[in-house]
């Protein structure tokens, strides 16, 4: 797995997300749960234990008191708050560049007081004294507190991938691009929910969601990849899942931002013509090949102009009579084909590609036959009703040339 080229802020978020995924995978039973952004960054609840974890990825080379003062103070304040349960275990999981897990300093009462002591406007402050926290209470907190040096970013991420490989008996590529991406999306979706109950997930539900989700790439996944690496991974994903096999029904949605980009090297009409040549060329495509469906996020005027050029190029298409009176009945029809003498290849076809606008697709989603593969090259997400098959969500292509490199490597 390639190393992510992340900036410090994104890396910090990513580290917390990876820790959440790791903790979920390490839970003992399917009913055990974690809450993301609960009391602290990660709350773990099992039948016998409740633990809350602060996760920090710090750029400082070595442990110093000031670096951990804030998270420990927050944990201590929660512990002494009479309105909260006192049966929580507290963990500070903090990475320092040159510290090794297992070499943590002993946090006794003297060390805890030193951490809680600081200077503000040249005046010494002691959080425990200023808030009336007794030595007995500090000792009780220490008994339920653990300080752990976090693993390096890359080491922890590889550990997550290895656990996914073991859990799903899959290749490293599948673990990285499919299962890890799904896990990441689930954790992020939970983290931004408004209520605590919405941010809770059990191990069983987490595993099911990882295994059945159709969405391959999301924006957090690609933030930490270079464009070159992302496009390479995307092409590998399409190949390994056989998504582009000619016999599979496929829809390719092109977003308006792609259509508005500089496509002088590969205009949309040439893009469509090239795809047809690649996957549905007459006298070359096998008889069980299926025409590709192209969905364009554009207005009717642009769509009509594209159709004019395709007609001039003698490329037959099925648009369900969009622009006159759209008919799902006609749009859903299979092409009428003639085969070669040996009945192996398509000699003639009533149409070679399907063409429809995004607006028309959304308006008629309940009556249009779904595809086994849907590739979304758009910044906008699609309705869940369209995500019944294999779904690829690509958000890092800048123009039609980028897309064509993926679809026809």
């Amino acid at each position: 797995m390639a190393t992510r080229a992340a900036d410090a802020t994104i890396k910090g978020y990513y580290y917390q997300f990876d820790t959440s995924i790791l903790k979920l995978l390490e839970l003992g039973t399917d009913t055990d749960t974690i809450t993301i952004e609960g009391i602290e960054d990660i709350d773990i609840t099992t039948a016998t234990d409740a633990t809350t974890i602060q996760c920090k990825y710090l750029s400082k080379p070595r442990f110093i008191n000031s670096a951990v003062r804030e998270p420990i103070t927050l944990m201590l304040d929660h512990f002494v708050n009479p309105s909260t349960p006192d049966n929580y275990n507290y963990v500070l999981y903090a990475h320092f560049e040159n510290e090794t897990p297992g070499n943590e300093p002993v946090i006794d009462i003297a060390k805890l007081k030193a951490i809680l002591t600081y200077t503000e406007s040249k005046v010494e402050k002691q959080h425990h004294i200023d808030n009336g926290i007794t030595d007995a209470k500090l000792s009780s907190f220490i008994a339920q507190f653990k300080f752990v040096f976090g693993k390096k970013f890359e080491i922890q991420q590889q550990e997550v991938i290895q656990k996914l490989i073991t859990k799903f008996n899959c290749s490293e590529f599948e673990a990285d691009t499919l299962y890890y991406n799904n896990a990441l999306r689930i954790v992020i979706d939970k983290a931004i929910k408004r209520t605590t109950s919405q941010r809770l997930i059990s191990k069983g539900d987490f595993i099911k969601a990882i295994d059945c989700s159709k969405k391959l790439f999301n924006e957090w996944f690609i933030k930490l990849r270079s464009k070159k690496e992302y496009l390479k991974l995307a092409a590998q994903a399409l190949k390994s899942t056989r998504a582009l096999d000619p016999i599979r029904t496929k829809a390719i949605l092109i977003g308006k931002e792609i259509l508005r980009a500089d496509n002088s090297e590969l205009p949309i009409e040439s893009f469509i013509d090239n795809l047809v040549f690649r996957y549905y060329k007459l006298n070359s495509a096998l008889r069980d090949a299926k025409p590709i469906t192209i969905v364009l996020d554009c207005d009717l005027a642009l769509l009509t102009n594209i159709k004019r050029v395709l007609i001039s190029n003698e490329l037959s298409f099925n648009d369900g009579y969009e622009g006159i009176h759209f008919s799902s009945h006609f749009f859903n029809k299979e092409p009428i084909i003639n085969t070669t003498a040996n009945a192996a290849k398509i000699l003639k076809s009533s149409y070679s590609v399907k063409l429809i606008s995004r607006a028309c697709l959304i308006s008629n989603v309940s009556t249009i036959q779904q595809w086994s593969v849907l590739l979304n090259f758009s910044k906008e997400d699609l309705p869940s009703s369209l995500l019944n098959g294999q779904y690829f969500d690509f958000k890092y292509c800048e123009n039609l040339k980028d897309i064509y490199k993926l679809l026809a490597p």
Side-chain angles (χ1 to χ4, degrees):
M1 183 182 63
T3 302
R4 279 36 172 202
D7 64 38
T9 301
I10 292 178
K11 205 167 188 177
Y13 283 123
Y14 227 76
Y15 192 70
Q16 182 181 328
F17 297 148
D18 282 352
T19 304
S20 300
I21 295 168
L22 198 58
K23 295 302 179 185
L24 273 162
L25 293 172
E26 290 174 345
L27 290 174
T29 71
D30 285 349
T31 56
D32 292 343
T33 65
I34 77 165
T35 302
I36 299 165
E37 300 293 348
I39 296 171
E40 301 296 350
D41 297 325
I42 307 165
D43 296 347
I44 301 174
T45 304
T46 70
T48 59
D49 186 57
T51 302
T52 184
I53 302 171
Q54 275 260 17
C55 181
K56 301 294 181 184
Y57 196 80
L58 302 170
S59 58
K60 298 183 183 300
R62 293 288 182 186
F63 163 81
I64 54 174
N65 289 347
S66 60
V68 299
R69 181 174 299 118
E70 181 181 2
I72 290 179
T73 299
L74 290 171
M75 289 180 171
L76 177 62
D77 288 347
H78 178 268
F79 177 78
V80 300
N81 185 344
S83 67
T84 58
D86 61 1
N87 61 334
Y88 273 96
N89 293 311
Y90 297 84
V91 177
L92 175 57
Y93 184 73
H95 169 77
F96 294 87
E97 291 178 0
N98 298 323
E99 298 289 7
T100 304
N103 292 336
E104 298 84 359
V106 174
I107 307 297
D108 55 19
I109 194 167
K111 184 64 173 178
L112 179 58
K113 286 182 177 180
I115 291 170
L116 297 173
T117 301
Y118 61 99
T119 300
E120 186 178 276
S121 302
K122 298 183 179 181
V123 177
E124 184 177 87
K125 302 277 189 178
Q126 293 179 301
H127 182 81
H128 49 296
I129 293 176
D130 295 342
N131 291 274
I133 304 173
T134 64
D135 284 4
K137 203 68 172 176
L138 292 177
S139 295
S140 296
F141 171 73
I142 290 170
Q144 293 173 220
F145 172 76
K146 186 177 182 180
F147 180 36
V148 179
F149 282 148
K151 298 171 183 175
K152 289 185 177 180
F153 183 89
E154 294 78 13
I155 292 174
Q156 176 165 281
Q157 198 163 72
Q158 188 60 48
E159 186 175 340
V160 172
I161 298 301
Q162 288 301 319
K163 285 189 178 294
L164 290 170
I165 291 171
T166 301
K167 179 64 183 177
F168 295 101
N169 191 27
C170 62
S171 68
E172 183 170 346
F173 174 77
E174 290 172 316
D176 187 19
T177 58
L178 178 59
Y179 295 108
Y180 174 69
N181 169 74
N182 287 339
L184 181 64
R185 177 180 54 80
I186 292 161
V187 167
I188 293 170
D189 286 348
K190 286 291 179 183
I192 62 177
K193 296 295 184 183
R194 295 186 62 182
T195 65
T196 302
S197 61
Q198 291 175 317
R199 297 195 297 274
L200 180 145
I201 187 168
S202 69
K203 179 180 181 178
D205 289 342
F206 179 68
I207 296 299
K208 287 178 185 177
I210 293 175
D211 205 15
C212 69
S213 178
K214 308 296 181 184
K215 192 167 182 175
L216 186 66
F217 293 105
N218 66 57
E219 289 199 72
W220 273 93
F221 181 80
I222 67 176
K223 280 179 187 292
L224 300 173
R225 310 262 181 173
S226 67
K227 179 181 175 181
K228 182 178 180 181
E229 182 192 0
Y230 171 75
L231 293 176
K232 179 182 177 181
L233 281 171
Q236 286 177 325
L238 293 174
K239 182 178 180 181
S240 67
T241 56
R242 305 180 69 87
L244 299 179
D245 278 8
I247 64 172
R248 302 188 70 181
T249 56
K250 299 175 288 295
I252 299 166
L253 193 153
I254 310 296
K256 54 181 176 288
E257 66 283 347
I258 298 288
L259 294 172
R260 292 170 182 167
D262 180 5
N263 292 306
S264 55
E265 291 187 63
L266 186 64
I268 182 61
E269 299 85 2
S270 299
F271 172 83
I272 295 171
D273 197 46
N274 289 351
L275 281 183
V276 171
F277 185 84
R278 178 74 165 76
Y279 291 102
Y280 201 74
K281 181 185 177 184
L282 300 182
N283 209 28
S284 179
L286 297 178
R287 64 175 298 161
D288 55 359
K290 304 295 183 184
I292 291 174
T293 299
I294 306 291
V295 183
L296 301 178
D297 190 0
C298 64
D299 57 32
L300 190 58
L302 176 56
L303 188 62
T304 301
N305 188 60
I306 291 169
K307 291 176 184 178
R308 286 196 188 99
V309 177
L310 295 180
I311 292 170
S312 298
N313 293 343
E314 299 182 359
L315 180 64
S316 56
F317 55 84
N318 174 5
D319 64 354
Y321 300 107
E322 181 181 3
I324 303 173
H325 180 71
F326 181 76
S327 167
S328 295
H329 170 73
F330 285 107
F331 189 74
N332 291 335
K333 280 189 172 183
E334 293 285 325
I336 300 170
I337 64 170
N338 293 335
T339 60
T340 53
N342 61 1
K345 298 179 180 179
I346 298 172
L347 181 64
K348 294 181 180 180
S349 180
S350 57
Y351 65 85
S352 297
V353 66
K354 288 185 175 184
L355 193 61
I356 190 175
S357 70
R358 185 184 192 277
C360 186
L361 170 63
I362 301 301
S363 298
N364 297 278
V365 67
S366 62
T367 56
I368 291 177
Q369 272 181 3
Q370 299 293 293
W371 306 272
S372 60
V373 180
L374 176 57
L375 302 99
N376 182 29
F377 295 94
S378 170
K379 296 295 183 185
E380 297 185 35
D381 291 329
L382 292 171
S384 58
S385 55
L386 277 170
L387 311 185
N388 297 318
Q390 194 172 21
Y391 179 44
F392 296 83
D393 187 50
F394 300 111
K395 298 188 184 297
Y396 211 165
C397 291
E398 297 177 2
N399 52 38
L400 292 170
K401 187 177 179 181
D402 278 351
I403 297 175
Y404 191 73
K405 285 179 181 178
L406 294 182
L407 302 181

